[in-house]
Amino acid sequence: MSEAREFKHIGQRTIRPDGFDKVTGKANYGADLSLPGMIWGAILRSPHAHANITKLDVSRAEANPDVLAIATFEDFPSVNAAAQRDGTQRDGMMDTACNILANQKVLYHGHAVAAIAARSEAAAIAALDLIDIEYEVLRPVLSIDDAISAQAPILHETMMTQGLAEPATKASNISARMELKKGDIEAGFAAADVIVERAYDTPTVHQGYIEPHATTVVFNENGPSMIWCPTQGHFDVRARVAQLLNLELGQIKVVASEIGGGFGGKTTVYLEPVALILSRKSGRPVKMEMSRGDVFRASGPASASQSLIKVGAKMDGTITAMQATLHYEAGAFQGSPMGPGCMTVFTPYDVENLYVEGFDVVVNKPKVAAYRAPGAPQSEFAAEMAVNELAKKIGMDPIEFRLKNAAKEGTQTIYGPKLKVVGLEACLEAAKASPHYNAPIPENVGRGLAAGFWFNIGGQSSVIINLNPDGTGTIIEGSPDIGGSRASMQMMAAEILGVAPSSLNPIVADTEHVAYNQTTGGSRTTFATGMAVVEAAEDIVEQLKARAAAMWNVTAEQVDFKDGVAHNLTGEDQLTLADICASAEKTGGQISGRANINARGAGPSFAVHICDIKVDKETGKTDVVRYTAIQDAGKAIHPSYVEGQFQGGAVQGIGWALNEEYVYSKDGIMENAGFLDYRIPLASDLPEIEAIIVEVPNSFHPFGVRGVGETGIIPPLAAVGTAVAEAIGQPISSLPCSPPKILKLLMSAQ
Amino acid sequence: MSEAREFKHIGQRTIRPDGFDKVTGKANYGADLSLPGMIWGAILRSPHAHANITKLDVSRAEANPDVLAIATFEDFPSVNAAAQRDGTQRDGMMDTACNILANQKVLYHGHAVAAIAARSEAAAIAALDLIDIEYEVLRPVLSIDDAISAQAPILHETMMTQGLAEPATKASNISARMELKKGDIEAGFAAADVIVERAYDTPTVHQGYIEPHATTVVFNENGPSMIWCPTQGHFDVRARVAQLLNLELGQIKVVASEIGGGFGGKTTVYLEPVALILSRKSGRPVKMEMSRGDVFRASGPASASQSLIKVGAKMDGTITAMQATLHYEAGAFQGSPMGPGCMTVFTPYDVENLYVEGFDVVVNKPKVAAYRAPGAPQSEFAAEMAVNELAKKIGMDPIEFRLKNAAKEGTQTIYGPKLKVVGLEACLEAAKASPHYNAPIPENVGRGLAAGFWFNIGGQSSVIINLNPDGTGTIIEGSPDIGGSRASMQMMAAEILGVAPSSLNPIVADTEHVAYNQTTGGSRTTFATGMAVVEAAEDIVEQLKARAAAMWNVTAEQVDFKDGVAHNLTGEDQLTLADICASAEKTGGQISGRANINARGAGPSFAVHICDIKVDKETGKTDVVRYTAIQDAGKAIHPSYVEGQFQGGAVQGIGWALNEEYVYSKDGIMENAGFLDYRIPLASDLPEIEAIIVEVPNSFHPFGVRGVGETGIIPPLAAVGTAVAEAIGQPISSLPCSPPKILKLLMSAQ
């Protein structure tokens, strides 16, 4: 990959193919499909954070003439037999089932218990009152400290901590322990001149996608049943529902609707299997929607965390050792992103001695889901805060300190591979050269800087490109578009085929019309599905050459294809792609390109953010006055979308750092389950986020793509935290830096 | 192709994949799609058969608040400029446009003039009365004799007869003449001992599909517009609408709904472009439906015909010459199936001297469309009647007479190629051996026998097969299923892949999700799309072998794949298709098979039918008392469907022969535009049609398929005609043999 490579479409800011439908309201989201004969489902949710269900009698509801079907945990046939709570090894499917409809026990406020389908939404909601349910309320576990204390109620009697040196002998709220190490951590700290050690914590936060979960389904006992829903991975919706309802994959068709935000939170199932049970029982299409309150209380927020960080360095700025103990809340069922949290925490640094220990802890909150670079913002927040504190202690500029220790080609990661060419140094240099970093810090303003790392991933993608007889065509892909990937696919295919991007319509096909694609997440889509698009387009180019050769009576090797035109190398003849398509009938039928891949070679992504924050010392209110996000995209296929990803990640990280948090009462009742009380940053709250695209190509992708979706949410936590600390002259160790907390810090310092 | 080849699935009577949805009412037909915000379109139709439009003022309708859009011929942008009736060469697109919405002149009763979209269907229909329209009524031309007479009004002032020896010098109602010949026709007749010469005629008949035309469309000025309709060829709907509305193919997506019968009649467009104009103007989804009366008056029935046949033979039964002069009504615009009528008329016979002349004639009736073996029933009716009369004259059994002269491998056809291996002799032998032919003829019953020939066709098909990680999968094809082709595709793919047919879901994809496929018709689908399915499945087998090889660390050549299982030829290892799919992630991603072909080698199809008819000599009423249909399928993939095609063809041919006909008043008003007055045979009218499948494989198809959809409608006309002639002891030369006509013949003979 030469950096001087010239592109015709890639790197341009083309018109987004989904834009018109979205701005005109024509795009159909999760709640936008209604079907003839459709009925509505509603869910009875737990008012308690932790309780045994002592009675569940649906007979009065069943007798209601408006009620056409009722679903409970008993309706998961394949997990039901295995789900005797006290006698079975826990497994993911059972947890998923128990999270979707509680089995004998509710584990968080809002936990679904039963569902009713009725002739109208109002009737379904009203009929919930006819379910006779009684609870034995238990003490809730609402924090990591509480969960791991000896006195804590145990959420799951069968949960034994995995990953201990000695097998666990009794049930625990810690589901798993993980340990990663490199070098000699003791020797590393012994070699340090200065050591910073501090505990940090981050709150439960929500992805805050604007579109609530919703689904419309039709059960078909013969043909495939249909599920329509907004999801980042309709193939995984299919797999999960098939497993829960004991169906073959071919018996379910999932259609990914347009999606109003996911950010990792739309990678699992809540309503879909329930709706399908209700449809099966009623013989009717069923629609279900979550309210905003349901979304907050009972979808999958991001883990709250506690991190103990210890970093040592020599006075010359060389970091000698880094150590972390990380606790992640999993919510009611095991499975936090503790693993990637441990793997990413120190990866921006090329340090010889590392030690990381992580714990996955269950609490009486909703089961967490992925949220942009899952696990990384929490752990890297802590690490970056400590690094900044250390840099300050030894009197080094935070960029210089990072440049001295920056991860680079050849750095041995704590989790396995050595890094290939990466762009952290380039990002740090770009930060150093940025107008923002070179601007003086205004009065009453603190400036913070932080780095971030995310792996990016590859994985399985399948693509078909169909050309029409007039040379227009469709790109049939299976990656739901949460960040502009349709535009990227269009541009990459257009680049290879030498046609206008707008002549190729990118379509996110349902699970029947394209082969398996992994979920959109991990920043895999533009990389991996993009590779599949390129391969499918190259497959077409080979066919175009063969077809032109047949028309010219030469061999395919005697044909060159460039910028959409085939050239007969034995003469002067030329045929455009459209010419060849128009004649395809005569040369063997119309043309389709195909690619099924499991993409390897994802390019790690680094970012550096700079944040200026002004703090009102009377009220503790914070204002971001300037913000710059610098990130290595590898290659920005569509720069506007890339900038949008940088900006969106920054904004979500800023919200996480400054204001967002789940507020629970002592009984475990979520008290701020709405956008009025759960405070995400609005456009009016923030300055324009300055986006600087660094391009250090990923040599494993034909155009150099790394993926840009995740990393941008990582640096803001520490950039903001450091900026606030600088502004108030106090260390920050707990997010969010909300006005009450800031005020408390300011007052305690007086 | 060995006839002894053993199949696992092919030839079985598997459960039809579309059956459940159809019998439970879940299948969605043309009128079954409604969309949010949808409005309704209605069409103003001409009350006259032939008239100039002297005034067309839509302003009162436009002023109606319920009316959201109006469409007239002026809305066809690309044809409008070229459509000055008296100054332009006629072309197909202009004719299509003028047929869809009349341009200055109406040419048949029911001809569409203008369309209105309004908030409800009732409002749209009511608003038609607000269109101010005035006509100058012209004398209609309602028969071939009238059309070709010197005094006839000319329908199209620019229409000059094509195909004359000397270029035409003045406008005519004959659009084209065609001539085919072989040998020396004069010498042939000179060599004959006996000659039969007789004129025959057949009426205008309708395909009688149960589902009227209907469509729902959404115009989208940015993304692709969507058209939902029942059609035999959604790709051709796309092409025609794109041409009429000056759009790229990529700007239109056509979804083929389930289809309630087509038989050739759903191969063109009527409502679709009009609805799209109305949707574009209104910004709303638009639904349009034809009434049954509209379908009769203004869709595309089959040509009425006049045939003059002359056949000569020696007393030993050798046919020495066959001659035909064929006139086909095209309806209001040129383009009857005169061509195939000429090509097929004598093809069942291996005769040295042939001469055929055909004429395409316009009349003031709806423009004809294809109807099962278009053109062949009319001409072959006449030829078979004459052949039967000749056989009788020389005292030969009609089967023996045909066997003596039967087309066979090597026969030089009048239209070009020599026949490859064909099954006419096998069908004649099967007829001779059939229980029916060997049963005595009951009293008052006549027995008739006739043969039939249809080419069958190949053409372009594209198929993708996607396998799921559990080994189930989908067959993505683009051939609307009018006769059970989904079952056949499933079985052919299952045969190659060695899996249960039910594990592969055959899907007729829309125009975006699969590459171009020709229209389902000509009996091409099981042959050509079947070949594509086989090729796609074989493509998968190659990949399965490669994947298994990768898992075993051997070469693909060291792997055999048989009955769904890969075998490691270097050892004992086996992997099922499902095993390989489950591991596909590790071996390169999931698996799709692909085929884009232009299928050659369609296998001609012959049939022989035997009919016993009892005639009530008091009333002229006919009763089919026994009927046997014998046909060469090549290979019957799903015998039940093949028998169904034989039976359905026979029943439609019986209706054509006995009762069906368009009845026009002298003013050209269709007087029987409904199923009460247009008499198609009902189940209660007929005995079980005995179906005998002959299998003479087509060596160009991997399983020997020829295609069975068309030929079965050809022999009934002469088999019935001859049976009636035998029963009443009078020659039959005019269809239908309706009670009044029979009675008239009986009375004239008394």
Side-chain angles (χ1 to χ4, degrees), chain B residues 62-350:
Chain B
E62 252 167 355
N64 183 309
D66 281 339
V67 171
L68 299 180
I70 297 177
T72 67
F73 180 82
E74 304 296 315
D75 294 304
F76 292 122
S78 54
V79 292
N80 196 27
Q84 304 309 315
R85 195 167 71 244
D86 297 303
T88 315
Q89 184 72 26
R90 302 202 66 75
D91 71 15
M93 180 170 69
M94 191 168 80
D95 278 356
T96 301
C98 292
N99 191 38
I100 291 168
L101 288 172
N103 175 30
Q104 302 177 48
K105 189 174 185 183
V106 291
L107 290 155
Y108 55 94
H109 175 216
H111 195 165
V113 174
I116 286 182
R119 295 182 199 280
S120 69
E121 189 174 19
I125 292 168
L128 296 177
D129 288 340
L130 301 176
I131 295 177
D132 295 307
I133 185 161
E134 290 171 12
Y135 296 97
E136 173 199 1
V137 177
L138 305 171
R139 179 167 85 75
V141 176
L142 294 169
S143 71
I144 290 164
D145 284 340
D146 192 9
I148 66 182
S149 76
Q151 296 73 40
I154 296 297
L155 270 66
H156 303 283
E157 293 298 339
T158 57
M159 184 184 283
M160 303 293 215
T161 309
Q162 304 296 308
L164 297 178
E166 298 291 319
T169 55
K170 64 186 184 87
S172 164
N173 289 326
I174 299 176
S175 79
R177 174 185 175 274
M178 177 179 187
E179 184 186 80
L180 295 172
K181 48 191 171 184
K182 172 187 171 188
D184 181 340
I185 192 69
E186 301 301 331
F189 282 115
D193 297 324
V194 188
I195 290 176
V196 164
E197 183 167 11
R198 194 176 290 280
Y200 301 89
D201 64 83
T202 65
T204 300
V205 297
H206 198 270
Q207 300 85 353
Y209 38 80
I210 299 304
E211 181 200 25
H213 298 262
T215 190
T216 299
V217 311
V218 190
F219 184 84
N220 187 335
E221 57 267 57
N222 188 65
S225 297
M226 191 282 290
I227 296 172
W228 160 277
C229 61
T231 174
Q232 297 174 234
H234 47 323
F235 287 90
D236 286 358
V237 171
R238 180 179 69 164
R240 284 171 193 248
V241 174
Q243 202 180 19
L244 288 166
L245 300 190
N246 223 3
L247 297 168
E248 287 182 344
L249 296 177
Q251 291 176 279
I252 302 175
K253 162 182 171 172
V254 182
V255 185
S257 72
E258 200 61 70
I259 183 168
F263 311 112
K266 287 181 181 156
T267 55
T268 184
V269 291
Y270 302 106
L271 304 175
E272 295 82 359
V274 179
L276 205 59
I277 291 167
L278 294 172
S279 179
R280 175 168 56 77
K281 289 187 168 187
S282 64
R284 303 279 284 271
V286 173
K287 185 177 203 161
M288 298 184 79
E289 298 175 2
M290 282 194 189
S291 68
R292 178 67 57 195
D294 294 339
V295 172
F296 272 110
R297 282 185 289 263
S299 67
S303 293
S305 73
Q306 291 188 4
S307 304
L308 183 66
I309 302 287
K310 184 176 174 187
V311 185
K314 295 188 180 169
M315 284 308 293
D316 72 352
T318 306
I319 301 177
T320 58
M322 305 181 96
Q323 181 172 343
T325 305
L326 309 173
H327 286 82
Y328 282 79
E329 287 185 8
F333 299 94
Q334 67 187 65
S336 72
M338 172 266 281
C342 292
M343 292 156 80
T344 56
V345 54
F346 297 133
T347 302
Y349 301 94
D350 186 349

Side-chain angles (χ1 to χ4, degrees), chain A residues 474 512 539 585 594 598, chain B residues 468 474 512 539 585 594 598:
Chain A
T474 48
E512 291 187 335
D539 179 21
E585 176 180 6
R594 175 190 56 192
N598 188 351
Chain B
N468 293 322
T474 48
E512 290 188 334
D539 179 20
E585 178 180 5
R594 174 190 58 192
N598 188 350

Side-chain angles (χ1 to χ4, degrees), chain A residues 43 45 121 209 211-215 269-271 288-296 298-299:
Chain A
I43 285 190
R45 295 182 180 279
E121 189 174 20
Y209 36 81
E211 182 200 24
H213 298 263
T215 190
V269 290
Y270 302 106
L271 303 175
M288 298 183 80
E289 299 175 1
M290 283 193 189
S291 68
R292 179 66 57 195
D294 294 339
V295 171
F296 273 110
S299 67

